[in-house]
Amino acid sequence: MATYPLKLSEKETKYALRFVWEWPVRLTHWVTAASVAVLFTTGLFIASPVFSSSGEPYQHFVMGRFRQVHFVAGYALLFSFILRGYWFLRGNKYSRSGVPLIWRLSWWKNLREQLAEYAGLVPGPLRLGHNSLAGLSYVVFIGGLGCLQLATGFALYGETNPGGFWDRTFGWVIPVFGGSFRTHMWHHLFAWGFVVFVIMHLYIVIFDAIRYKNGLIGSIITGSKFYKEGDVDTDDWVS
């Protein structure tokens, strides 16, 4: 994509537009966000139904419908993870930015700088891709918790069809977690981890968008971000 210098301030600071997020990154972001929202809300009802329909039970399918939507959202999350994992390898360098390369001093330096900035200790430069803190949070919360949610969820799903595909694929998860009841409890606990992540994620995204005025929020729709002289393209070290 071409770069277009823009004058956006009274001091005539030159901004330019850089294409950062390719379409699979943007698509999986929104599919994951929607899936997690649907999974969490339907999961709360499945765990503790807050309302019931009137009339004879055979005339209604309330719990069944909630479970159906829950499982469809689970499949959407699974396919989103598969596509994002593939594009991590096949996409541009920004699709891999921020990944925790804990054996590299440059990653730890970036992490310290970002923590100091969010703590209000020092101002930090804008980074076009994910910084180390963002990458670490995505790997831990989305990658780690997401895989645990998928594994425990499909293991429990497999109980409805003993010997079926999901039972054969993830049935081993249930004894590892100490049985069906405990697997349910861990599944619910992992779900609340996403609530913590969403709160942190929204705060940092809004913080960065206001502080840097780099079009961060819009970039996950268009794929492009603004940058200016002095910004850091630190994503070369993950290529």
Side-chain angles (χ1 to χ4, degrees), residues 186-208:
W186 280 108
H187 188 68
H188 295 314
L189 180 62
F190 294 148
W192 284 101
F194 280 100
V195 175
V196 175
F197 170 78
V198 168
I199 294 173
M200 294 169 52
H201 181 63
L202 291 177
Y203 168 77
I204 292 176
V205 165
I206 295 172
F207 177 93
D208 281 1

Side-chain angles (χ1 to χ4, degrees), residues 2-202:
T3 298
Y4 304 97
L6 299 174
K7 295 182 179 181
L8 301 179
S9 70
E10 295 180 356
K11 295 181 180 180
E12 296 187 348
T13 299
K14 290 186 177 181
Y15 283 75
L17 198 62
R18 174 72 60 85
F19 184 71
V20 177
W21 312 123
E22 297 170 306
W23 72 263
V25 176
R26 306 195 305 272
L27 175 64
T28 53
H29 171 276
W30 291 113
V31 171
T32 298
S35 300
V36 168
V38 173
L39 285 166
F40 187 78
T41 52
T42 55
L44 288 179
F45 179 82
I46 293 170
S48 180
V50 294
F51 61 86
S52 60
S53 55
S54 59
E56 294 297 327
Y58 73 87
Q59 296 176 326
H60 306 283
F61 194 59
V62 178
M63 177 59 75
R65 192 65 66 197
F66 269 86
R67 286 172 57 85
Q68 185 180 48
V69 173
H70 190 77
F71 295 141
V72 169
Y75 277 111
L77 183 63
L78 174 62
F79 294 139
S80 179
F81 268 47
I82 293 173
L83 175 59
R84 186 62 180 89
Y86 172 76
W87 208 252
F88 177 87
L89 301 174
R90 298 289 297 174
N92 63 16
K93 63 182 180 180
Y94 301 110
S95 66
R96 297 180 292 278
S97 59
V99 63
L101 304 177
I102 59 176
W103 58 90
R104 295 190 180 183
L105 293 178
S106 58
W107 183 85
W108 288 102
K109 181 176 181 293
N110 185 203
L111 181 64
R112 290 195 301 271
E113 291 174 350
Q114 206 63 48
L115 288 171
E117 179 181 4
Y118 288 136
L121 301 177
V122 294
L126 173 66
R127 292 171 173 82
L128 285 174
H130 295 309
N131 57 58
S132 294
L133 182 60
L136 179 63
S137 65
Y138 293 146
V139 169
V140 172
F141 285 96
I142 299 300
L145 278 181
C147 288
L148 288 170
Q149 279 291 79
L150 287 170
T152 54
F154 282 113
L156 295 170
Y157 185 36
E159 289 186 311
T160 63
N161 183 26
F165 174 78
W166 292 116
D167 183 46
R168 295 195 308 270
T169 305
F170 289 106
W172 56 270
V173 172
I174 293 178
V176 167
F177 278 87
S180 181
F181 176 77
R182 290 188 178 182
T183 303
H184 274 91
M185 294 300 98
W186 280 108
H187 188 68
H188 295 314
L189 180 62
F190 294 148
W192 284 101
F194 280 100
V195 175
V196 175
F197 170 78
V198 168
I199 294 173
M200 294 169 52
H201 181 63
L202 291 177

